[in-house]
Amino acid sequence: MEGELDPLSELRSLSEALRAHAEWHQACGTHALPAETRSSLAEQPPEAIPPVPMPAPPAAPMPAVASAPRAMPVEAPARAAAPVAIPLDPAERQHRLALLAEQVKGCTKCSLHESRTQTVFARGNGSSGLCFVGEGPGADEDAQGFPFVGAAGQLLDRMIAAMGIARDDVYVCNIVKCRPPQNRTPEPDEMSACMPYLTEQLALVEPQVIVALGKTALQGLFGSVESITRVRGRWRLYQGRIAVMPTFHPAYLLRNPAGKREVWADLQLVLKHLGRSVPGKGA
Ligand code: URA
């Protein structure tokens, strides 16, 4: 995490956040936020949400070819995830994530290592409680070594800013850590080779909420092939304990800007689940 901001930088970052918020809403065609009632979770007071069972030991989910969802959508994920074991303090978490990133750097488990410039592990704050999971690095990410730094990443940044959250105060990672050639979708064998890294990454990060960006993220996390259009906006649980909100991938939004409205509705549910106010809706 970064240190304290001086007042001028704070003002600058506030005005950037405001501008990003305005741009995002302009693109969504919304100024005030739509009164969404799609998810019963959003309407539930936190006390109504049942306690979560203890987590199953982390198993690496395998991307499957089956089309039936294995993980059922949940109406009421736990507001706070049960800890895996003893919760890590931020410094220890950062240290262990750095060790894992080093391990990933040397990975040759699938053929994607042959064409990568470098591995792309994560960016942001592993202790923020909010994690975005995408598909895999593209050309910009492969060149720079960080996820979501290209055009889709800039849109993701605007989405995060519109949530009233600083860009680097969320954790961002991908299903696969190496760029698939020509930015193609990762193959199931590449996903299953890489998933143990994400499983461990998420066990260290212990996010309160994961936002699954697009179909591949969903497939990696749940091992099921589902239409993102059908399942977005509906809570489900990862490993029985972490609330996951599936939504459209920002790259899809670049091609289909009309989908921003739905994504914004999904992100509002995330904010509510995190107990944060929705910017622009009044405190
Ligand atoms: N798309 C992704 O899914 N991940 C990235 O890191 C960049 C683009």
Side-chain angles (χ1 to χ4, degrees):
M1 269 295 286
E2 290 145 29
E4 295 276 296
L5 284 178
D6 63 69
L8 197 62
S9 315
E10 200 165 354
L11 203 63
R12 206 172 288 133
S13 84
L14 264 173
S15 91
E16 274 163 20
L18 263 175
R19 188 161 45 82
H21 181 66
E23 279 172 12
W24 171 258
H25 282 297
Q26 203 171 20
C28 291
T30 57
H31 285 286
L33 303 165
E36 271 290 330
T37 50
R38 299 177 66 252
S39 162
S40 57
L41 172 73
E43 307 311 322
Q44 284 205 26
E47 320 74 86
I49 298 175
V52 225
M54 280 305 285
M62 293 293 153
V65 257
S67 60
R70 278 192 318 172
M72 296 306 292
V74 287
E75 291 196 336
R79 197 161 187 284
V84 177
I86 301 161
L88 296 172
D89 72 66
E92 179 62 17
R93 172 177 292 126
Q94 204 175 350
H95 172 66
R96 294 207 201 171
L97 285 169
L99 291 178
L100 182 60
E102 274 307 305
Q103 197 187 329
V104 167
K105 271 186 192 163
C107 181
T108 55
K109 288 202 288 180
C110 81
S111 63
L112 293 183
H113 81 275
E114 291 162 11
S115 51
R116 75 182 177 218
T117 304
Q118 58 193 314
T119 54
V120 175
F121 186 70
R123 69 170 224 216
N125 177 4
S127 297
S128 73
L130 176 57
C131 175
F132 288 80
V133 177
E135 177 177 303
D140 293 309
E141 290 76 21
D142 177 67
Q144 295 183 42
F146 293 101
F148 284 97
V149 291
Q154 282 156 25
L155 180 53
L156 178 63
D157 290 347
R158 290 203 288 280
M159 289 158 53
I160 295 165
M163 295 171 82
I165 302 176
R167 176 193 189 270
D168 294 328
D169 205 15
V170 299
Y171 192 73
V172 180
C173 57
N174 281 310
I175 295 294
V176 296
K177 314 297 190 217
C178 297
R179 180 195 180 199
Q182 282 81 49
N183 295 348
R184 64 162 169 74
T185 305
E187 298 290 347
D189 64 316
E190 295 159 351
M191 290 167 69
S192 43
C194 216
M195 270 311 294
Y197 295 128
L198 182 64
T199 305
E200 194 170 337
Q201 207 168 5
L202 293 174
L204 290 171
V205 167
E206 301 175 71
Q208 202 178 335
V209 172
I210 296 171
V211 178
L213 298 167
K215 179 178 171 171
T216 305
L218 208 59
Q219 182 179 353
L221 292 170
F222 295 101
S224 57
V225 180
E226 296 164 82
S227 151
I228 191 72
T229 309
R230 280 194 35 225
V231 303
R232 59 142 283 278
R234 292 165 176 271
W235 288 108
R236 60 178 61 197
L237 286 177
Y238 171 70
Q239 292 193 348
R241 66 198 167 83
I242 301 177
V244 175
M245 174 54 65
T247 197
F248 293 135
H249 192 287
Y252 168 84
L253 295 180
L254 290 173
R255 300 187 303 273
N256 302 278
K260 288 178 183 173
R261 210 179 249 274
E262 280 127 304
V263 170
W264 180 236
D266 302 342
L267 296 180
Q268 286 178 73
L269 296 179
V270 170
L271 284 170
K272 284 178 186 164
H273 187 63
L274 291 171
R276 301 179 72 124
S277 59
V278 177
K281 265 207 156 171

